[in-house]
Amino acid sequence: DVQLVESGGGLVQPGGSLRLSCAASGFVFSSYSMYWVRQAPGKGLVWVSHISADGSATEYADSVKGRFTISRDNAKNTVFLQLNSLRVEDTAVYYCTKGSDSWGQGTLVTVSS
Amino acid sequence: DVVMTQSPLSLSVTLGQSASISCRSSQSLVSSNGHTYLMWLRQRPGHSPRRLISSVSNRDSGVPDRFSGSGSGTDFTLTLSRVEAEDVGVYYCMQATYWPHTFGQGTILEIK
């Protein structure tokens, strides 16, 4: 079975940084694009970033471009999301997903002073 | 960005009855390869989303045949027949034809 396990969320002050990780298992990780999606409290789903299977191509939502960086380590079956210059409006549960067919349990990022 | 508009935004259904959710996109979701990347997902309270249907009408593994998807171009529908208590949650349509992928606002389904 596909498993995606996110970690790294927490409480951070505005302007701070966090690094989210998503450990994958149950499929050939190096063959699939991976995505991060976030959901602010009580709100809907928003795509944040995408990385191609080999890591050569990345995409970002305009709201995070220049502040977030997606990367992956295919040897460790893990995808990362580096969050810099965090804003209050970045507060959300961040989900790792394998192209919408499998989702992790999410990790909560709270940006507050 | 492609705007996905769902209606209704909330739905109250009697057990055993049918329900339909509409999703309209601001531009055609037919990709250059001829495929239409329109998905339906459900999110139960306190849980992660789960995909139910891909490519307009293909049910994911383990999804009951009470769920069906239809549509083309810019107009799509999710139909639930014989609604059960376990169907409660928020239903989202999502397009993956264009980046950024975009979701509808969500439709809350509750049991009357």
Side-chain angles (χ1 to χ4, degrees):
Chain A
D1 283 4
V2 172
Q3 272 208 314
L4 300 170
V5 180
E6 300 95 335
S7 60
L11 174 63
V12 62
Q13 291 188 337
S17 297
L18 281 175
R19 190 192 198 203
L20 308 184
S21 300
C22 171
S25 61
F27 64 102
V28 181
F29 181 74
S30 58
S31 295
Y32 289 89
S33 292
M34 296 296 293
Y35 302 80
W36 288 93
V37 174
R38 69 183 181 184
Q39 186 171 36
K43 301 296 185 182
L45 301 164
V46 178
W47 288 97
V48 172
S49 186
H50 152 257
I51 187 166
S52 61
D54 65 0
S56 63
T58 58
E59 298 274 6
Y60 299 92
D62 286 346
S63 58
V64 307
K65 208 172 288 185
R67 301 188 298 122
F68 291 8
T69 303
I70 191 171
S71 61
R72 65 191 295 161
D73 184 339
N74 283 349
K76 295 184 177 179
N77 290 356
T78 303
V79 60
F80 305 97
L81 188 67
Q82 178 69 40
L83 288 62
N84 295 333
S85 303
L86 280 162
R87 305 168 180 168
V88 170
E89 56 265 33
D90 294 320
T91 295
V93 174
Y94 285 73
Y95 294 103
C96 165
T97 173
K98 170 183 162 284
S100 84
D101 66 359
S102 302
W103 295 68
Q105 84 286 354
T107 187
L108 176 63
V109 171
T110 303
V111 184
S112 174
S113 54
Chain B
D1 297 0
V2 176
V3 177
M4 306 295 287
T5 304
Q6 290 182 227
S7 63
L9 297 184
S10 67
L11 205 47
S12 184
V13 185
T14 302
L15 288 173
Q17 296 297 104
S18 294
S20 289
I21 301 170
S22 170
C23 176
R24 288 187 173 176
S25 57
S26 59
Q27 62 191 82
S28 173
L29 299 185
V30 181
S31 70
S32 55
N33 64 13
H35 289 281
T36 301
Y37 297 101
L38 185 283
M39 329 291 182
W40 289 97
L41 302 94
R42 177 185 63 207
Q43 186 175 30
R44 289 180 170 141
H47 289 263
S48 304
R50 175 196 176 184
R51 195 176 72 184
L52 303 173
I53 288 175
S54 65
S55 300
V56 181
S57 59
N58 297 322
R59 274 189 305 277
D60 276 60
S61 175
V63 176
D65 60 8
R66 301 184 293 102
F67 291 84
S68 62
S70 62
S72 62
T74 60
D75 289 339
F76 305 92
T77 302
L78 175 69
T79 301
L80 291 74
S81 59
R82 307 182 304 280
V83 167
E84 299 182 2
E86 66 179 19
D87 297 336
V88 298
V90 182
Y91 289 78
Y92 294 94
C93 62
M94 185 207 100
Q95 67 81 20
T97 298
Y98 306 100
W99 182 263
H101 301 170
T102 45
F103 294 91
Q105 318 97 300
T107 296
I108 301 170
L109 187 146
E110 63 176 22
I111 303 301
K112 198 179 293 183

